[in-house]
Amino acid sequence: MTIWLENNIQLGSFNYDEIKSDILLKKNSEEFLSFQKESQDSIKCLYVAQREIGTVSYLDPYIDIIGSDDATTCHIVIIVDEANSNVSLCHFDGSDTETGIFDMVKSLKSLREHENAEYSLYIVGGFDDDRGSSQNLTKEIFDCLLNRSEKYNLKLCIVTDLNTINKNGINYPIIYGIGYDIKQKKAFWCNKFLNTGPDMLARRARHFSEGANLQIYDPLSYRITIQPFTYVSSFARDCLSLPKRSLLQYFSTSPEQEPPNFVDNLLETFKFMLEHQAPLETYFINNKPKIYSKHLDGSWQLIE
């Protein structure tokens, strides 16, 4: 079944010309880009960080919006089950993309009563970068989806070349973030989510572990779970004394295009790693995950 465009046209492979010429995709892209939220601070928001997956039921009493931001060469994929409006979002950075797609669809299938399903598909991110990182990830995501048996109706695709603006001879992404209003069933452009949820330092530190895309939210218990992980922290102390420009060059796939908070977030993460050089001993005590439940006022409470 794989990926379908308007008028029952099946996409055989990723093709810019086909995507740009599709009337529905063009209309959706124009509408999407016509309004940008400068920031999103809803207390009923689930923020999904890089290399994370979030799956939310339409009936969730605590979450109305799911979203992610700070994507330069990264891609953000949203899959919506058209039968029940349940949603899964992943912020892909190229780490085990195929398993990430598999886990997104698996989590949606676990919430439905019938096997047969059609899904709405939204993909944004990447830009025409010098290293070709975005181009490779775009192709990888589409190849993974095209190899699956489900039917995906492509509703929005603003990726890589389609997500590039040139400023003074330098290419930048147009879209850094996307949100999806679950109750309104609508995607929207937002480059900054203010309510990012609990444990962001640990969640950023996980980028330096060997773990791939992590399902962080249980759509049945309405809880965020951060599973134990470890990392090599010996480099973190030296990194704290490096100039910001060097940190950008060493730790970004697109140094010129990173948002202003990139280096500050990186430095805070290194401090966390130095404080917890053996996280399985000092942070995930007895190798137990961190589990948070959400209150109706938007706060998260550590329960384990």
Side-chain angles (χ1 to χ4, degrees):
M1 298 290 280
T2 66
I3 300 175
W4 294 76
L5 305 179
E6 192 185 27
N7 297 324
N8 224 24
I9 298 173
Q10 186 173 0
L11 194 66
S13 62
F14 179 74
N15 185 301
Y16 283 115
D17 291 334
E18 282 191 86
I19 288 172
K20 284 190 288 187
S21 63
D22 185 84
I23 296 173
L24 179 60
L25 278 178
K26 184 177 180 180
K27 178 177 178 291
N28 290 348
S29 296
E30 290 173 350
E31 182 180 342
F32 181 84
L33 291 168
S34 67
F35 177 73
Q36 177 190 359
K37 285 191 174 184
E38 290 298 327
S39 62
Q40 173 60 250
D41 61 356
S42 170
I43 63 172
K44 301 188 78 172
C45 177
L46 176 67
Y47 177 78
V48 180
Q50 181 177 335
R51 214 184 294 177
E52 293 182 347
I53 301 170
T55 301
V56 180
S57 164
Y58 176 78
L59 301 176
D60 193 312
Y62 301 99
I63 304 295
D64 286 346
I65 290 170
I66 187 170
S68 189
D69 58 18
D70 288 354
T72 53
T73 58
C74 290
H75 289 41
I76 303 168
V77 176
I78 299 173
I79 301 176
V80 183
D81 189 329
E82 294 183 358
N84 52 32
S85 301
N86 299 331
V87 182
S88 187
L89 182 151
C90 182
H91 185 132
F92 287 100
D93 66 1
S95 302
D96 203 359
T97 302
E98 185 174 8
T99 301
I101 296 289
F102 175 87
D103 288 342
M104 292 176 75
V105 179
K106 180 182 178 182
S107 66
L108 288 172
K109 286 185 174 181
S110 71
L111 297 174
R112 69 180 351 265
E113 297 179 0
H114 307 290
E115 183 63 27
N116 294 329
E118 291 189 21
Y119 300 92
S120 295
L121 178 63
Y122 305 77
I123 307 177
V124 301
F127 70 104
D128 187 10
D129 65 279
D130 293 338
R131 304 182 188 184
S133 300
S134 301
Q135 292 87 339
N136 292 337
L137 185 52
T138 296
K139 184 179 185 303
E140 187 177 5
I141 289 171
F142 271 86
D143 285 348
C144 290
L145 288 163
L146 288 165
N147 285 329
R148 296 192 59 85
S149 60
E150 302 85 16
K151 181 177 181 180
Y152 298 94
N153 298 310
L154 189 59
K155 302 293 187 181
L156 185 71
C157 183
I158 307 176
V159 295
T160 309
D161 287 10
L162 305 176
N163 190 41
T164 300
I165 186 170
N166 188 281
K167 302 176 183 178
N168 300 319
I170 300 175
N171 287 341
Y172 292 86
I174 300 169
I175 300 164
Y176 283 80
I178 184 174
Y180 187 85
D181 190 315
I182 300 164
K183 302 302 189 283
Q184 298 296 322
K185 304 178 185 179
K186 186 177 180 64
F188 61 90
W189 180 14
C190 181
N191 283 346
K192 179 54 59 180
F193 288 82
L194 302 179
N195 190 348
T196 56
D199 243 346
M200 278 309 300
L201 287 176
R203 290 159 68 183
R204 292 193 190 106
R206 200 180 69 83
H207 299 168
F208 297 94
S209 75
E210 295 181 353
N213 302 293
L214 173 70
Q215 178 72 257
I216 61 164
Y217 188 71
D218 185 333
L220 297 178
S221 67
Y222 315 128
R223 293 175 176 177
I224 280 182
T225 299
I226 311 300
Q227 295 291 347
F229 59 86
T230 190
Y231 42 67
V232 176
S233 61
S234 55
F235 69 94
R237 189 179 305 278
D238 292 336
C239 289
L240 286 173
S241 61
L242 289 175
K244 288 190 174 183
R245 188 67 194 171
S246 296
L247 290 172
L248 274 170
Q249 293 294 331
Y250 291 149
F251 293 102
S252 172
T253 56
S254 51
E256 295 288 343
Q257 293 78 13
E258 292 293 353
N261 60 341
F262 178 84
V263 172
D264 290 339
N265 288 343
L266 199 58
L267 291 171
E268 290 301 313
T269 302
F270 290 150
K271 291 175 184 177
F272 172 90
M273 294 171 70
L274 284 176
E275 183 180 351
H276 300 284
Q277 297 184 42
L280 297 181
E281 298 176 11
T282 63
Y283 198 73
F284 299 104
I285 307 299
N286 297 322
N287 205 31
K288 290 184 177 180
K290 299 282 189 178
I291 302 177
Y292 298 85
S293 64
K294 191 173 180 66
H295 298 293
L296 289 174
D297 66 0
S299 62
W300 294 90
Q301 180 181 359
L302 179 64
I303 59 173
E304 291 186 31

